[in-house]
Amino acid sequence: MKVGFLQFSPKFGEPKENLNFIKTKLKNSSINLLTLPELALTGYTFKDYEEAYSLSEEIGGNFTQELIKIAEENDIIIASGFLEKEGKSLYNSSVLLDKNGVIGVYRKIHLFYKEKNIFTPGNKGFPVFSIGDIRVGLLICFDWIFPESIRTLALKGADIVLHSANLVLPYYQTAILTRAIENRVFIVLANRIGREERFGQENVFIGGSKVVDPSGKVLLEISDKEEGLFGVNINPILARNKNITELNNIFEDRRPEFYYKD
Ligand code: ACM
């Protein structure tokens, strides 16, 4: 299976242009499972809730349909960040879809900084979805700093974490290796690049998208200067082996009775 990411700088407030860009970059791609950045169609630095609301859509809306068409044209499975509306609530979400439609949605549980002024925190937990024999979990950016996020996905059987991000802090570039090792999962990090300066807020996005294997080995990594589609072949079944030595299985050796519970 070939997994990959598209690292780019989405144009703020221009979902059609961003969709066209994604479509162009996917031409003749051999990737099977693609991760796009957080809020890949709209950009990130919203003036306020009203502006974000005007760019949002329900699951299954026009942008989702366009992504499904792109998935169909390329026979590819896509996880993409998108700005989801449900009633008056806005969610910073990731949608997983293929040519047959939406497979599932994850709503970002841990909101970062001023996202708290706009979004409702995710309320649907950390779902794991099956793609044939493979199980994938979705994650969005700042979720990483809570080890429970990827731990929960791994304990629920995820082989691959499709991590859509708009990272602005540097820490995950190294912490991702630990997250992969401690859970023995593949992580595909699709991070955006570029800079947004709007209404006195500035965000500089750090790129560094990568694919890490369950032993913490970086299989693919690009800098914050590169833009484009990148992929690597993996064997997702390797994530089913949770043994770190012959006598240590990272799940069976857990001692939850001694771990702190809120
Ligand atoms: C982030 O969670 N977008 C930093």
Side-chain angles (χ1 to χ4, degrees):
M1 164 180 260
K2 192 164 189 179
V3 297
F5 50 74
L6 178 60
Q7 177 168 295
F8 71 115
S9 177
K11 272 225 170 106
F12 186 87
E14 301 288 348
K16 281 197 186 128
E17 229 177 283
N18 293 323
L19 278 160
N20 273 337
F21 179 84
I22 293 164
K23 199 170 161 162
T24 309
K25 287 290 170 186
L26 273 177
K27 283 250 155 65
N28 304 318
S29 145
S30 56
I31 288 171
N32 309 115
L33 179 57
L34 172 72
T35 306
L36 299 176
E38 177 182 11
L39 295 165
L41 307 183
T42 55
Y44 182 81
T45 313
F46 304 103
K47 177 179 175 223
D48 51 25
Y49 167 87
E50 282 72 27
E51 184 182 62
Y53 191 84
S54 73
L55 290 164
S56 65
E57 71 163 35
E58 286 166 4
I59 301 162
N62 287 339
F63 306 147
T64 322
Q65 293 307 326
E66 289 296 324
L67 276 175
I68 290 168
K69 260 191 239 157
I70 293 174
E72 187 175 12
E73 281 160 15
N74 296 279
D75 196 13
I76 192 169
I77 301 165
I78 302 175
S80 176
F82 89 110
L83 173 42
E84 183 194 347
K85 154 171 77 179
E86 186 185 60
K88 288 269 173 277
S89 298
L90 297 179
Y91 296 96
N92 183 344
S93 296
S94 172
V95 60
L96 181 70
L97 51 83
D98 68 6
K99 60 185 173 196
N100 299 313
V102 172
I103 299 167
V105 174
Y106 165 68
R107 292 173 170 171
K108 186 176 186 179
I109 286 182
H110 305 100
L111 297 178
F112 179 69
Y113 196 43
K114 293 189 178 171
E115 289 174 30
K116 293 185 178 192
N117 299 334
I118 291 171
F119 298 106
T120 301
N123 52 3
K124 300 216 158 162
F126 293 101
V128 170
F129 305 102
S130 291
I131 298 171
D133 301 339
I134 307 308
R135 295 188 290 256
V136 303
L138 308 176
L139 214 66
I140 304 179
C141 208
F142 192 57
D143 279 326
W144 76 266
I145 207 162
F146 303 89
E148 295 87 351
S149 307
I150 298 184
R151 178 62 109 205
T152 301
L153 289 173
L155 287 170
K156 288 173 87 172
D159 303 307
I160 312 172
V161 175
L162 307 177
H163 196 162
S164 298
N166 280 356
L167 290 165
V168 292
L169 304 176
Y171 313 117
Y172 192 47
Q173 298 289 347
T174 44
I176 189 172
L177 308 181
T178 307
R179 294 286 175 275
I181 295 164
E182 69 195 2
N183 294 292
R184 293 192 69 83
V185 289
F186 288 91
I187 305 176
V188 180
L189 170 66
N191 194 26
R192 67 161 288 179
I193 49 172
R195 179 171 160 274
E196 285 181 351
E197 191 173 356
R198 306 192 71 244
F199 302 98
Q201 302 176 68
E202 188 192 23
N203 284 303
V204 178
F205 304 101
I206 64 169
S209 296
K210 47 178 80 51
V211 177
V212 183
D213 84 1
S215 71
K217 186 169 163 204
V218 178
L219 303 178
L220 172 65
E221 179 173 40
I222 61 170
S223 75
D224 63 345
K225 305 284 182 292
E226 290 165 277
E227 175 178 271
L229 183 70
F230 296 83
V232 65
N233 283 309
I234 65 165
N235 177 5
I237 301 303
L238 294 178
R240 304 272 167 95
N241 178 2
K242 300 299 183 189
N243 272 73
I244 204 138
T245 73
E246 264 176 48
L247 299 181
N248 291 103
N249 180 292
I250 55 153
F251 284 178
E252 288 164 15
D253 286 1
R254 294 176 71 240
R255 305 289 306 278
E257 67 273 33
F258 295 113
Y259 302 158
Y260 184 79
K261 284 194 193 71
D262 291 332

